[in-house]
Amino acid sequence: MPEKPRLNREDVAHVADLARLALTDDELDAFTGQLADVLDHAADLEALDLDGVPPMANPLPLVNVLRLDEPEPGTRADIRAEVLDAAPSVEDGRFRVPPVLGEAP
Amino acid sequence: MSDQALIPGWEVVIGLEVHAELATVTKMFSSALNRFGGEPNTNIDPVSLGLPGSLPVLNEKAVELAIRVGLALDCVIQPSVFSRKNYFYPDMPKDFQISQYDLPINGIGSLELPDGRRIGIERAHLEEDTGKSTHVGGGGRIHEAGHSLIDYNRSGVPLIEIVSAPDMRGAEDARAYVSELRSILVAIGASDGKMEEGSMRVDCNVSVRRQGTTELGTRCEVKNINSLRSMGRAIEYEARRQVDLLESGERVQQQTRHWNEDDGRTHKLRSKEEAYDYRYFPEPDLVPVEPSEEWIAEIRAALPMLPRERRRRLADAAGVEPSDTALTVQRGMDDLAVDAIAAGADAERVLVHVENNLADGAGELTAAPFAALVAMETGGDLTATQAKTVLADLVASGGDPAAHAAAHGFEAMDTSELEALVDRIIAQHPDDWDGFVGGDDKERRKKAGFFVGQVMKATRGQADGRIVNELLAQRADGQGA
């Protein structure tokens, strides 16, 4: 098996940033080693000859699981009060959150 | 397109990503209602709130509408897979968006503009909409917002994202494309296409390159475009900004930029994420969608006539080019025009009336009285001005054009009566007549105007200017002019 470049510390810091995780220097060191081991383990799959095997998106032998475009019978008005009650902060029937910089991608 | 070469020496290259909300009753993956407006957080359920343990089940109608879009854009309809697009944002509580990534339901296709050019379509895939954030405080501007409020009514509404090839070369092209795409979506019942309500949203990928080169420049994606007008302004601003950078020796950086309607500029939102930053992977809670040939054929058979087919049909009926019928089709009056022409009306007059005199809608006007009106006009019973008046009556209240004409006192002048009048007026103004017969073009036009004016005066506007001109020409010819 060809030698793959090991995962480095910057890669882990980047992934942690994407996951909104604040890692200490010690944690970064520890996870860099652990994640690299996980990738090495997954790389074992490359030993298999998969020519002609189509990629599989889902292990279930099913396609086209669909529902009709029909609203749920009965009212679910109670859901609104229930979830708003459970929220830390609410304003005008909406969830109040810290200011968001920028816009969703 | 020379009219779009707004910056000499440079070519603007535009690709568009259009998101349209699909006109289903319920959401993409749950039975909460897909409905615009309403009290915040009323059309919600565990799936659209992303609550742990809730599971998505795909809405059949959303798939059908997506296939309709694919067929209307001549796309390849193919087996598709949903993926998770991972990012954190409070309007998407489960922290990933379910979208189609490497295997979209609709592959390569194209859209035909009214002028006959084709814009490539790279894909048209299904994804779910997010909730809606409202920024409060700090003057409402994103970067100064005090806090944000989230309404999840829109969360999970089915979207189709239609991605064009970078085939447009200016704001005009982009407007023509979006306008045609909206007409198609509305015609096939896939979406209501309302940009002002956000049910159709356009992101513009803009880059520039030196005229004559073929390599694509670094692009910026411009978001927050709320109308066709702001799209045009945003493209022109952004192209200018990029050219200024390049001409001063700097580079364009790949960015997502936010259009600000108030100051007429685009602002940097963030450096563009790479696709791998979204860590796409197949959505384990959904199985692949593989529409059968039979289902696709059924959907195709039920498709209504598309705008391009309507343009062609009217063009054939009227004996003109399809591009000449674009406005009539856009106004939804092509059925009326085709029927009026079939009932014997002069095609050119029909199109002129639709384009010039029916801008505010056809109201009560139907094909048979329309055809009768045009026949009266071309037969000389009504002047063009009178026909316009009667047409307005037909739009307002329907009825019989002859009755409306009579009510206005519009009486056709007997041609022999008109001939006698023209001869009398010529006899009264021999010098002017000599000018008409013997003068140069300019003089002849001037004198024609004089004689038509005299006839109109004598008939209190009842004469048909076109016929008077013909009579004048005949008499001049008779004198060997």
Side-chain angles (χ1 to χ4, degrees):
Chain A
M1 205 166 33
E3 191 62 26
K4 285 271 164 96
R6 292 272 294 185
L7 191 73
N8 64 35
R9 211 163 176 278
E10 286 65 42
D11 294 329
V12 179
H14 179 61
V15 172
D17 188 49
L18 291 175
R20 302 293 185 267
L21 293 175
L23 300 185
T24 63
D25 283 353
D26 287 348
E27 285 170 327
L28 263 183
D29 288 335
F31 291 137
T32 300
Q34 288 180 19
L35 268 176
D37 289 344
V38 170
L39 288 182
D40 285 348
H41 179 62
D44 288 351
L45 287 175
E46 290 178 6
L48 300 173
D49 177 12
L50 298 176
D51 281 355
V53 180
M56 189 165 69
N58 193 297
L60 301 172
L62 290 171
V63 293
N64 302 335
V65 176
L66 303 169
R67 45 171 269 274
L68 292 177
D69 184 27
E70 289 169 358
E72 184 92 350
T75 170
R76 311 195 63 165
D78 54 321
I79 267 202
R80 182 185 197 226
E82 208 180 319
V83 296
L84 289 175
D85 279 351
S89 182
V90 166
E91 189 177 317
D92 293 338
R94 289 172 291 181
F95 297 90
R96 183 180 163 137
V97 299
V100 181
L101 293 182
E103 179 176 275
Chain B
M1 306 222 73
S2 57
D3 59 321
Q4 300 189 68
L6 46 116
I7 309 169
W10 292 87
E11 184 174 54
V12 185
V13 177
I14 299 161
L16 298 178
E17 295 172 17
V18 174
H19 288 82
E21 291 182 353
L22 293 172
T24 55
V25 177
T26 65
K27 293 191 176 177
M28 177 99 115
F29 298 117
S30 71
S31 55
L33 289 176
N34 167 13
R35 186 184 284 167
F36 177 77
E39 283 292 300
N41 292 308
T42 45
N43 301 324
I44 54 173
D45 63 2
V47 173
S48 37
L49 288 170
L51 297 184
S54 61
L55 287 171
V57 188
L58 183 57
N59 184 339
E60 179 179 42
K61 187 73 180 182
V63 178
E64 184 195 322
L65 294 179
I67 294 173
R68 273 195 220 171
V69 173
L71 291 171
L73 297 174
D74 295 326
C75 291
V76 182
I77 318 288
Q78 56 195 23
S80 63
V81 168
F82 286 94
S83 291
R84 291 186 179 181
K85 178 181 183 181
N86 297 279
Y87 64 91
F88 292 88
Y89 202 76
D91 63 15
M92 204 184 54
K94 61 186 185 299
D95 295 335
F96 58 85
Q97 180 190 26
I98 303 179
S99 176
Q100 296 188 319
Y101 179 50
D102 49 348
L103 297 167
I105 183 161
N106 298 306
I108 296 286
S110 69
L111 176 144
E112 186 182 309
L113 294 177
D115 65 12
R117 280 183 302 147
R118 283 188 169 267
I119 303 296
I121 300 292
E122 295 190 340
R123 56 190 283 149
H125 68 260
L126 280 164
E127 65 183 31
E128 59 177 341
D129 209 344
T130 62
K132 193 168 170 46
S133 320
T134 308
H135 305 282
V136 181
R141 300 197 27 188
I142 274 187
H143 290 285
E144 302 160 18
H147 61 275
S148 301
L149 299 177
I150 319 281
D151 169 13
Y152 290 112
N153 279 350
R154 202 180 65 182
S155 168
V157 163
L159 291 176
I160 184 119
E161 178 177 344
I162 301 147
V163 182
S164 85
D167 285 354
M168 287 158 272
R169 295 291 174 266
E172 253 336 289
D173 279 2
R175 271 193 287 260
Y177 170 86
V178 173
S179 163
E180 180 66 12
L181 182 56
R182 178 165 59 186
S183 302
I184 292 170
L185 294 175
V186 171
I188 63 177
S191 177
D192 65 20
K194 291 181 183 164
M195 282 184 91
E196 66 284 5
E197 288 183 7
S199 61
M200 186 165 145
R201 306 191 282 274
V202 183
D203 299 335
C204 303
N205 286 301
V206 179
S207 66
V208 299
R209 63 185 171 198
R210 296 265 180 199
Q211 208 110 48
T213 58
T214 53
E215 199 180 329
L216 289 171
T218 303
R219 71 194 152 92
C220 286
E221 181 177 0
V222 183
K223 287 178 171 270
N224 192 43
I225 287 165
N226 301 317
S227 67
L228 285 184
R229 192 174 161 272
S230 42
M231 179 176 74
R233 291 177 66 205
I235 288 171
E236 283 166 14
Y237 173 84
E238 180 59 22
R240 181 83 250 178
R241 187 187 72 84
Q242 294 182 14
V243 167
D244 286 348
L245 279 175
L246 295 171
E247 285 188 340
S248 61
E250 293 179 60
R251 288 194 331 195
V252 175
Q253 306 214 357
Q254 189 171 335
Q255 284 170 354
T256 300
R257 299 181 66 85
H258 183 93
W259 168 248
N260 184 322
E261 188 67 39
D262 296 332
D263 68 8
R265 294 159 177 259
T266 63
H267 300 269
K268 179 183 171 179
L269 211 50
R270 55 172 180 270
S271 298
K272 181 77 186 166
E273 285 79 4
E274 296 295 337
Y276 54 73
D277 281 351
Y278 291 124
R279 292 151 294 146
Y280 283 96
F281 64 89
E283 164 59 80
D285 293 333
L286 290 165
V287 299
V289 180
E290 293 183 9
S292 67
E293 288 302 318
E294 293 73 35
W295 194 24
I296 295 171
E298 210 175 284
I299 295 170
R300 187 192 295 276
L303 271 187
M305 210 186 298
L306 297 172
R308 65 168 189 249
E309 293 162 342
R310 290 184 172 274
R311 289 192 294 266
R312 213 158 282 142
R313 179 184 64 148
L314 178 55
D316 288 347
V320 296
E321 291 300 315
S323 54
D324 297 329
T325 63
L327 187 57
T328 304
V329 170
Q330 203 184 323
R331 291 199 173 143
M333 294 185 192
D334 54 303
D335 281 340
L336 178 69
V338 166
D339 291 349
I341 293 168
D346 177 71
E348 191 193 324
R349 290 309 300 166
V350 166
L351 293 182
V352 165
H353 280 307
V354 169
E355 290 181 10
N356 299 341
N357 306 326
L358 294 175
D360 299 323
E364 300 297 313
L365 178 67
T366 55
F370 190 15
L373 169 73
V374 171
M376 288 170 74
E377 188 185 1
T378 49
D381 294 337
L382 290 176
T383 66
T385 313
Q386 290 169 339
K388 193 173 160 180
T389 305
V390 172
L391 185 65
D393 293 337
L394 294 173
V395 168
S397 57
D400 171 31
H404 287 297
H408 286 289
F410 296 157
E411 281 173 37
M413 286 202 69
D414 194 278
T415 311
S416 60
E417 213 178 295
L418 190 59
E419 284 184 37
L421 177 63
V422 167
D423 288 338
R424 202 162 63 239
I425 288 173
I426 288 173
Q428 284 165 2
H429 302 89
D431 293 347
D432 294 299
W433 181 246
D434 287 345
F436 179 76
V437 175
D440 57 15
D441 276 1
K442 192 179 157 196
E443 176 74 2
R444 194 179 169 90
R445 270 200 302 278
K446 194 173 141 197
K447 292 301 172 190
F450 167 77
F451 281 106
V452 171
Q454 290 295 315
V455 172
M456 288 298 175
K457 197 168 149 193
T459 61
R460 294 189 314 280
Q462 299 283 301
D464 186 331
R466 189 173 51 87
I467 294 176
V468 174
N469 270 310
E470 274 170 24
L471 292 174
L472 290 171
Q474 277 170 20
R475 274 149 185 75
D477 286 347
Q479 294 186 7

